Amino acid sequence: MTSQLLWFILAGFIAEMVCGTLGMGYGVSATTLLLATGVAPVIASAIVHASEVVTMGMSALAHYKVGNVSREIVRRLLVPGLIGAVAGVFVLASVPAGKMRPWVAGYLLLMGVLIVIRGIGDITSAKAHHAGPIGFIGGVLDAVGGGGFGTIVTGTLLAVGYPPRTTVGSVNFTRFFVSIAATIAFAFTVKMSTWTAAIGLAIGGAIAAPIAAIFAKRIPARPLTIAVGLLVIGLSVRTIVLALR
């Protein structure tokens, strides 16, 4: 194994520990890291979604086994999320990487702020009583930004009163299918030159998934949420500054 692969395995493990426990943060964290190392936004999103097929598959199975999945929540999110993800892929692929990078980084910065707000526990999202539109918006922005489905969907559903445990489990379960749809769409729009990052992220995430599903029931999430949000904010600001020079 190369040191680069080991680094991505570690990154995937950490990202999935956060996401599997909190229902958010995998795509945002991993994409922010890739953008900070100079990867084009469309390639970064493709890499992250390819790794999520494995990682979210393991997470979905783990959450289902420990009883964290609500069929009703999944039913409302699934189809809109799939449609939104495919639409987001074609939006991202149609814009030149140089023009897209600061916008994607700005979106991730916003996601970082939202994660911190969730950690503090004082979110004031607009109320919505139907999960479908939330799933569609989450799918579009997830594909465009390489992450955000969990942050947007989990954060909004929790803000309007959905139960935390089943919300986290159901969103992670749904993201498995959203990741498959996005990866298939990326396969028709993006030419991948290397799979090292995707393989590393997938391995690390697969190792973390069953552990995180158990942690979702037991660990206080606030300090971890805030730390991840601050990390995403810092890396996003760095990417924006470099892109605007």
Side-chain angles (χ1 to χ4, degrees), residues 16-214:
E16 177 52 28
M17 283 298 297
V18 174
C19 181
T21 302
L22 307 177
M24 63 181 77
Y26 180 89
V28 173
S29 301
T31 301
T32 304
L33 171 65
L34 292 172
L35 289 180
T37 60
V39 178
V42 65
I43 300 297
S45 188
I47 288 171
V48 169
H49 283 88
S51 72
E52 281 184 341
V53 172
V54 176
T55 301
M56 291 303 150
M58 292 293 293
S59 182
L61 180 61
H63 276 289
Y64 184 80
K65 283 187 173 181
V66 299
N68 291 345
V69 177
S70 164
R71 292 185 180 181
E72 179 64 19
I73 296 176
V74 172
R75 183 183 66 81
R76 294 184 180 186
L77 290 176
L78 185 56
V79 174
L82 295 176
I83 296 172
V86 173
V89 168
F90 287 99
V91 169
L92 182 62
S94 64
V95 180
K99 293 182 179 180
M100 198 67 187
R101 190 186 304 274
W103 291 101
V104 173
Y107 160 72
L108 291 171
L109 174 61
L110 178 62
M111 292 300 98
V113 172
L114 179 57
I115 290 173
V116 171
I117 293 173
R118 285 298 310 154
I120 295 172
D122 189 28
I123 190 167
T124 55
S125 298
K127 291 189 175 182
H129 300 288
H130 301 287
I134 299 171
F136 175 79
I137 294 170
V140 171
L141 295 180
D142 185 77
V144 171
F149 187 85
T151 306
I152 294 167
V153 179
T154 302
T156 304
L157 294 183
L158 290 178
V160 299
Y162 279 70
R165 180 176 63 84
T166 54
T167 297
V168 170
S170 301
V171 171
N172 276 273
F173 189 89
T174 305
R175 283 186 67 190
F176 168 59
F177 298 97
V178 170
S179 297
I180 292 176
T183 300
I184 292 173
F186 274 122
F188 287 98
T189 57
V190 176
K191 183 177 181 180
M192 296 285 289
S193 58
T194 177
W195 288 93
T196 301
I199 292 171
L201 290 172
I203 292 173
I207 295 171
I211 305 171
I214 297 173

